Amino acid sequence: MRVAIVSPYALSVFGGAQEQALSMSRELARRGHDVVIVAPDRDDHATYDTPAAILRFGPVLKVPANGSRAPLTLSPRAARRAAHAVAKFRPDVVHFHEPFAPLVGWGVLRVHAAPAVATFHRGGGGPALRLTGPLLRRLATHLDVSTAVSESAASTIRSACGIEPTVLFNGFEMDRFVATPRERGDETVLVVLGRHEERKGVAHAINAVRAHNATSEDRWRLVVLGDGAQRRSLEALAAGDTAIEFVGAPNDVEKRQWLRRANALIAPSIGGESFGLILLEGMASETVVVASDIEGYHDAASGFATMFTAGDDTSLERAIDRALAEETPESIARATAHASEWSMATLMDRYEDLYSLARKRFSATR
């Protein structure tokens, strides 16, 4: 089968939807399918870990969306070129991640020349969804099958335009996380990973670590992975504390290396998360996970992460202390087994069935 995967977000910027597109492309290729990824960012010439061809169109703008800044293109020319490239590929199925996010996939979706499968990632509404309802409902008529990565994401798109998606999950490749050697030393290393923006809650991790180190002889080291608009303010908040290290945005290999070095992964988002794949990646890395108690994290956490009150520095500090103290080989094994239920192989089994369904529905309308 020939599958075109469309990501509205630039692969050059770290994000869950982009990671899903790349991971799906690897699994589909392993199954013998011919895959192409279409995304924005014509200036991105990086090589990504996938056998799929990657086609990139248009300039990228960081557009405010859902408490974040989405790396999109707003170029109509890029949308036309993307549609032409997909038509030339002659796909059996086009798989859209966030199909309503402008603009690179809109031309492909409007033409609807091949079966269209959608995956919705976004959890939480906002003015953009409310104001564009009529447009979204028109675009929705070109989708043959719709899915969402969580009930939160399903509720969001259901409210926006009436779509009733199948709720699946975000998948990941378990073996990639344990393939990296475990590298723990004598110090207690905490890792926080995410774009430097308010909703990711990195400031709360910094505050919790500094508060702990001010009163405890068992000091924690915090490694901050990521970049973004709040980088300078977060560095100012750390105030030159040598226990806090800003590493920048990691590539996939570096991320997996840090997860294997860490004593605990901290996921301190205060909202706007639809699933929480990073929690499962931490568990797959045999690392303790501490996460904020928000709706978007509940499915992934499922009792295998230590939860704390979102936005509460003291609650986070106590949760880290408790998670480190309660770690045992048995607790790690249980969390790893839980993570394995969300494997990319299992997810793509479901999607292959949905691809077949989309092809039947598409053929029935032609």
Side-chain angles (χ1 to χ4, degrees), residues 176-245:
R176 291 167 69 84
F177 290 87
V178 292
T180 302
R182 167 66 85 190
E183 296 181 9
R184 280 188 177 175
D186 294 332
E187 63 181 347
T188 299
V189 177
L190 312 177
V191 166
V192 60
L193 170 64
R195 291 183 298 276
H196 293 172
E197 54 199 28
E198 185 176 359
R199 77 178 181 92
K200 291 296 185 180
V202 178
H204 300 293
I206 293 172
N207 289 337
V209 168
R210 297 198 72 197
H212 170 83
N213 288 349
T215 60
S216 175
E217 294 183 359
D218 179 21
R219 290 173 60 80
W220 296 338
R221 174 190 173 201
L222 178 66
V223 177
V224 182
L225 303 176
D227 210 342
Q230 281 197 328
R231 174 69 178 262
R232 289 186 178 180
S233 63
L234 291 172
E235 289 177 334
L237 182 64
D241 192 327
T242 57
I244 300 172
E245 179 182 1

Side-chain angles (χ1 to χ4, degrees), residues 19-366:
E19 282 201 277
Q20 283 296 284
L22 288 166
S23 184
M24 286 181 175
S25 74
R26 289 190 290 264
E27 181 61 28
L28 286 167
R30 277 193 287 268
R31 297 174 183 223
H33 301 303
D34 191 5
V35 187
V36 65
I37 298 176
V38 176
D41 199 353
R42 66 189 178 196
D43 297 320
D44 177 23
H45 304 293
T47 300
Y48 293 91
D49 184 10
T50 176
I54 299 179
L55 308 177
R56 288 157 277 204
F57 303 98
V60 169
L61 296 174
K62 300 291 184 67
V63 179
N66 196 29
S68 181
R69 298 188 68 83
L72 306 164
T73 185
L74 300 180
S75 165
R77 183 170 183 265
R80 290 193 298 270
R81 293 188 65 200
H84 176 74
V86 171
K88 186 176 180 181
F89 178 65
R90 296 182 294 107
D92 296 298
V93 172
V94 181
H95 190 153
F96 296 88
H97 289 268
E98 288 293 4
F100 298 159
L103 189 62
V104 74
W106 284 17
V108 182
L109 187 56
R110 282 171 170 162
V111 172
H112 195 196
V117 174
T119 297
F120 292 97
H121 296 258
R122 175 175 176 167
L129 289 177
R130 290 194 301 271
L131 295 174
T132 58
L135 171 61
L136 301 188
R137 285 189 286 273
R138 285 198 299 273
L139 289 173
T141 63
H142 299 292
L143 297 173
D144 298 295
V145 169
S146 295
T147 71
V149 302
S150 66
E151 183 53 47
S152 173
S155 177
T156 297
I157 200 61
R158 188 183 300 121
S159 298
C161 60
I163 288 177
E164 289 288 349
T166 299
V167 178
L168 295 178
F169 54 89
N170 275 325
F172 70 107
E173 299 148 291
M174 285 281 296
D175 57 333
R176 291 167 69 84
F177 290 87
V178 292
T180 302
R182 167 66 85 190
E183 296 181 9
R184 280 188 177 175
D186 294 332
E187 63 181 347
T188 299
V189 177
L190 312 177
V191 166
V192 60
L193 170 64
R195 291 183 298 276
H196 293 172
E197 54 199 28
E198 185 176 359
R199 77 178 181 92
K200 291 296 185 180
V202 178
H204 300 293
I206 293 172
N207 289 337
V209 168
R210 297 198 72 197
H212 170 83
N213 288 349
T215 60
S216 175
E217 294 183 359
D218 179 21
R219 290 173 60 80
W220 296 338
R221 174 190 173 201
L222 178 66
V223 177
V224 182
L225 303 176
D227 210 342
Q230 281 197 328
R231 174 69 178 262
R232 289 186 178 180
S233 63
L234 291 172
E235 289 177 334
L237 182 64
D241 192 327
T242 57
I244 300 172
E245 179 182 1
F246 290 83
V247 175
N251 60 34
D252 189 53
V253 173
E254 292 167 339
K255 179 186 75 172
R256 287 184 273 119
Q257 289 174 337
W258 276 113
L259 288 176
R260 291 287 278 172
R261 292 173 189 167
N263 295 83
L265 166 70
I266 313 303
S269 288
I270 59 177
E273 303 290 351
S274 61
F275 180 70
L277 180 63
I278 186 62
L279 277 64
L280 298 176
E281 292 178 341
M283 295 175 195
S285 303
E286 301 175 327
T287 296
V288 164
V289 175
V290 178
S292 50
D293 190 0
I294 58 175
E295 181 183 3
Y297 282 167
H298 288 172
D299 288 345
S302 295
F304 297 96
T306 302
M307 311 296 280
F308 69 95
T309 303
D312 187 325
D313 301 343
T314 300
S315 178
L316 173 53
E317 180 188 356
R318 290 172 178 168
I320 295 170
D321 201 33
R322 184 169 69 255
L324 293 172
E326 294 177 353
E327 177 188 357
T328 65
E330 292 75 21
S331 68
I332 292 295
R334 287 193 296 271
T336 303
H338 166 67
S340 69
E341 297 175 6
W342 311 83
S343 73
M344 181 56 70
T346 299
L347 178 62
M348 291 315 300
D349 287 343
R350 297 287 305 277
Y351 269 116
E352 284 187 320
D353 291 339
L354 292 176
Y355 290 169
S356 296
L357 177 60
R359 296 175 73 180
K360 290 177 182 177
R361 289 179 175 175
F362 178 81
S363 296
T365 63
R366 293 301 187 267

